[in-house]
Amino acid sequence: EALEESVALQRSVVGREPNARARGELARQLALQARALVDSGRYDQATRLAVEATNQAPGSPGPRIDAARVFARCLARVEGDAGLPA
């Protein structure tokens, strides 16, 4: 919940000041929340946030690397998650 609030706050900052620094911070917050969502088994939401993070900082490799890590973690967990439909 704290991560969701942090992302919401940073989105409002980007809305007021859409500069590279604010967008980079939003990308970082989105990546953190995406990792937490993977840990809680919410893979679809995690991947959406990872993609959004890459869109917030298109010139930076950091969000792309974070997104790749999120995708890899999702894949590893989905393969072993018996609670998901086949």
Side-chain angles (χ1 to χ4, degrees):
E1 188 171 306
L3 283 173
E4 291 173 5
E5 290 175 15
S6 178
V7 166
L9 177 63
Q10 193 60 37
R11 280 186 173 131
S12 70
V13 169
V14 169
R16 289 189 315 269
E17 302 173 34
N19 58 51
R21 182 172 180 218
R23 292 171 88 73
E25 181 59 25
L26 177 56
R28 189 180 75 76
Q29 293 294 325
L30 289 166
L32 287 172
Q33 187 174 1
R35 280 181 254 165
L37 288 167
V38 172
D39 292 340
S40 67
R42 294 160 53 191
Y43 312 118
D44 58 335
Q45 293 172 326
T47 56
R48 277 191 295 245
L49 288 183
V51 169
E52 183 181 348
T54 64
N55 293 335
Q56 289 299 322
S60 174
R64 288 184 179 87
I65 293 167
D66 289 335
R69 288 180 179 144
V70 166
F71 297 147
R73 289 179 67 204
C74 283
L75 181 59
R77 295 203 178 194
V78 164
E79 289 177 338
D81 192 334
L84 292 176

